[in-house]
Amino acid sequence: MLKTYFSDVKFNRCITSQLIKWFSNFREFYYIQMEKYARQAINDGVTSTEELSITRDCELYRALNMHYNKANDFEQVPERFLEVAQITLREFFNAIIAGKDVDPSWKKAIYKVICKLDSEVPEIFKSPNCLQELLHE
DNA sequence: TCCGTTCCTG
DNA sequence: CAGGAACGGA
């Protein structure tokens, strides 16, 4: 589907992997931020996940929005994104608190949980003219 | 064996 | 971000 946005590109195996790599970096960034803020919360004395919530004005949200939505093309970030982000943050928090980060592959358990929460691609993105449509909203 | 993802690095 | 190694699932 991503390929349809680059109609002027002829995708061979290499070019395709580059495209995939590019988008994989987005997910990677997401997890890096989650771990970073989970550790920061712990250093700040947070002891319970109940104290960890992701709102539209929190620092973590701003960091993510600045990365994925710099120009604020999407004024209404899906509520579901906030929910999943909070679950992810708490997942990292609990794992670190439990000292699971001593295991080299401690993040895998978290990834396994979070990937199941991935949302379907919104219909609007499936349109070749989605860029125009989004900007006109 | 191929492909998508993560880790590490620059 | 991109490049490359490693890994794991299909």
Side-chain angles (χ1 to χ4, degrees):
Chain A
M1 201 189 94
L2 287 173
K3 290 180 179 178
T4 67
Y5 295 110
F6 305 91
S7 56
D8 57 332
V9 177
K10 54 280 177 253
F11 286 97
N12 53 39
R13 190 149 46 183
C14 180
I15 302 295
T16 299
S17 63
Q18 285 185 50
L19 180 66
I20 293 171
K21 170 61 177 177
W22 186 38
F23 278 81
S24 289
N25 275 325
F26 289 153
R27 178 181 284 272
E28 185 180 7
F29 178 82
Y30 173 84
Y31 282 127
I32 290 175
Q33 295 307 305
M34 290 299 157
E35 181 181 358
K36 175 180 171 183
Y37 282 88
R39 291 187 184 284
Q40 181 175 304
I42 292 174
N43 287 330
D44 289 345
V46 176
T47 58
S48 168
T49 57
E50 306 308 310
E51 304 173 50
L52 292 176
S53 62
I54 293 187
T55 60
R56 288 186 163 72
D57 62 341
C58 72
E59 203 176 341
L60 177 53
Y61 176 84
R62 289 174 184 168
L64 294 174
N65 195 63
M66 173 128 49
H67 193 71
Y68 301 126
N69 189 28
K70 273 192 182 67
N72 272 305
D73 292 321
F74 306 102
E75 301 176 16
Q76 73 311 348
V77 174
E79 194 63 34
R80 180 58 178 164
F81 179 80
L82 281 291
E83 295 172 8
V84 175
Q86 180 165 303
I87 293 173
T88 309
L89 179 61
R90 293 183 172 185
E91 205 71 33
F92 269 96
F93 179 87
N94 285 145
I96 297 172
I97 284 294
K100 295 181 179 177
D101 56 337
V102 295
D103 178 356
S105 58
W106 66 286
K107 298 177 185 175
K108 290 184 180 179
I110 298 177
Y111 300 150
K112 195 172 181 180
V113 172
I114 305 306
C115 72
K116 292 176 181 174
L117 304 180
D118 282 355
S119 300
E120 291 302 312
V121 176
E123 279 306 316
I124 189 169
F125 286 116
K126 297 180 180 177
S127 165
N129 305 315
C130 78
L131 219 66
Q132 287 67 41
E133 296 177 31
L134 282 171
L135 295 179
H136 290 164
E137 278 185 355

